């Protein structure tokens, strides 16, 4: 019977196999190994993987620990991990779903009316930072890799929301543009340019009071999180909104 492996790595990670949660990992390093193999998607040598997760141990002990974790993964997810004499690789020929992969693939083409549902589905996959709350002790190389991935996906979702908001605005759909801009600001509330875009879109949609309230939120957030005042462009915009000079 064909079994589907599902890896949800945005937010707190979850693994399901054949519809059931996988809970028998021998350690957090066994989980980390599966996540690393799935996301990188290429073969890795045993010494590379041993160094990634057990770099603080002597070589023989590190390789023994790796072997135990690989045996554990084979017991849990079957042929989803292919273990050969010299290399280990995630098996992309077996049925699987990886949210990070679907996220990037869904935004690989410019937004169009035909691709809109694909973009929305891709952005919906991002339910939190990559491997949020997941930590592996005594594995600094793995933790550095996680940090790099986390920044990469965060930048991708911010850019995706920015692109989709602009596209909706160009199509004359200000409510959707506002929705995506608000979500962007939940991820990066200190992004002053996004505050200006939201203020402008609210004003253009007839929500002048909300646009002015957004300026106050912007000013408070910048003061609390960055220790600065809004720049001149933002101040000029709020004055235009107060004077009802923002063109709809």
């Amino acid at each position: 019977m064909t079994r589907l492996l599902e890896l949800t790595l945005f937010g707190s990670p979850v693994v399901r196999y054949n519809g059931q949660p996988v809970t028998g990992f021998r350690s957090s390093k066994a989980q980390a190994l599966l996540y690393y193999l799935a996301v990188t998607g290429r073969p890795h040598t045993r010494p590379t993987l041993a160094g990634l997760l057990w770099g603080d141990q002597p070589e023989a002990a590190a390789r023994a620990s790796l072997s135990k974790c690989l045996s554990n993964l084979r017991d849990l997810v079957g042929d989803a991990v292919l273990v050969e004499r010299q290399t280990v690789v995630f098996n992309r020929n077996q049925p699987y779903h990886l949210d990070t992969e679907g996220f990037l693939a869904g935004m690989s083409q410019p937004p169009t009316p035909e691709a809109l549902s694909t973009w929305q589905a891709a952005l919906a996959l991002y339910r939190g930072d990559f491997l949020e709350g997941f930590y592996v002790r005594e594995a600094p190389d793995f933790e550095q890799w996680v940090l790099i991935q986390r920044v990469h996906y965060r930048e991708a979702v911010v850019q995706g929301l920015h692109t989709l908001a602009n596209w909706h605005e160009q199509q004359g759909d200000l409510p959707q543009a506002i929705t995506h801009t608000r979500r962007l600001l939940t991820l990066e509330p200190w992004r002053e340019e996004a505050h200006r875009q939201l203020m402008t879109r609210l004003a253009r949609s007839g929500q002048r009071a909300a646009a002015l309230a957004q300026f106050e939120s912007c000013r408070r957030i910048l003061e609390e999180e960055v220790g600065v005042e809004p720049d001149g462009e933002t101040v000029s915009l709020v004055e235009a909104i107060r004077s009802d000079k923002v063109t709809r």
Side-chain angles (χ1 to χ4, degrees), residues 18-243:
N18 198 31
Q20 299 299 314
V22 177
T23 59
F25 294 104
R26 62 178 282 118
S27 67
S28 61
K29 289 188 177 182
Q31 291 177 263
L33 181 59
L34 177 61
Y35 304 155
Y36 183 77
L37 291 169
V39 173
T40 58
R42 64 180 186 275
H44 296 278
T45 65
R46 287 174 177 260
T48 297
L49 296 173
L52 178 74
L53 291 164
W54 295 275
D56 61 326
Q57 297 183 13
E59 182 178 348
R63 295 193 67 160
S65 295
L66 172 63
S67 294
K68 291 176 182 177
C69 282
L70 288 174
S71 177
N72 177 229
L73 291 183
R74 290 298 301 272
D75 290 341
L76 295 177
V77 297
D79 291 335
V81 174
L82 297 178
V83 182
E84 301 182 351
R85 185 175 182 83
Q86 298 296 328
T87 61
V88 182
V89 65
F90 185 79
N91 186 2
R92 279 174 157 68
N93 292 320
Q94 291 287 316
Y96 75 95
H97 177 264
L98 177 62
D99 60 346
T100 56
E101 188 174 85
F103 168 74
L104 294 177
M107 297 185 297
S108 61
Q109 299 295 324
T112 62
E114 295 75 22
L116 183 58
S117 61
T118 302
W119 267 72
Q120 291 173 333
L123 289 168
L125 291 173
Y126 191 92
R127 61 187 187 90
D129 281 333
F130 179 71
L131 296 185
E132 187 174 322
F134 180 74
Y135 176 71
V136 179
R137 295 179 58 191
E138 299 175 345
D141 290 348
F142 175 77
E143 287 300 318
Q144 179 63 24
W145 174 78
V146 169
L147 179 61
I148 292 170
Q149 298 303 309
R150 194 168 287 162
V151 171
H152 169 64
Y153 291 120
R154 171 65 74 97
E155 290 177 347
V157 73
V158 167
Q159 184 57 47
L161 289 167
H162 175 74
T163 298
L164 201 55
N166 285 347
W167 184 82
H168 278 295
E169 183 173 34
Q170 292 166 5
Q171 302 301 309
D173 190 346
L174 282 173
Q176 280 298 314
I178 289 168
T179 295
H180 293 304
T181 310
R182 287 192 188 280
R183 186 182 175 197
L184 191 161
L185 282 168
T186 66
L187 296 171
E188 295 195 347
W190 55 85
R191 187 176 284 257
E192 190 170 355
E193 178 188 8
H195 282 282
R196 287 196 296 269
Q197 291 169 338
L198 182 53
M199 290 163 59
T200 300
R201 288 161 181 163
L202 287 168
R204 289 185 58 211
S205 66
Q207 302 179 64
R208 181 170 171 271
L212 295 175
Q214 188 62 40
F215 171 75
E216 295 303 327
S217 294
C218 173
R219 181 163 61 181
R220 175 181 51 79
I221 289 168
L222 291 177
E223 181 180 358
E224 292 177 354
E225 300 201 16
V226 190
V228 299
E229 291 290 324
D231 64 24
E233 186 175 354
T234 306
V235 173
S236 296
L237 174 60
V238 76
E239 291 301 328
I241 293 171
R242 284 172 177 152
S243 302

Side-chain angles (χ1 to χ4, degrees), residues 4-24:
L4 173 67
L5 177 64
E6 301 171 85
L7 296 121
T8 302
L9 305 185
F10 287 131
S12 180
V14 177
V15 180
R16 289 185 174 86
Y17 192 48
N18 198 31
Q20 299 299 314
V22 177
T23 59

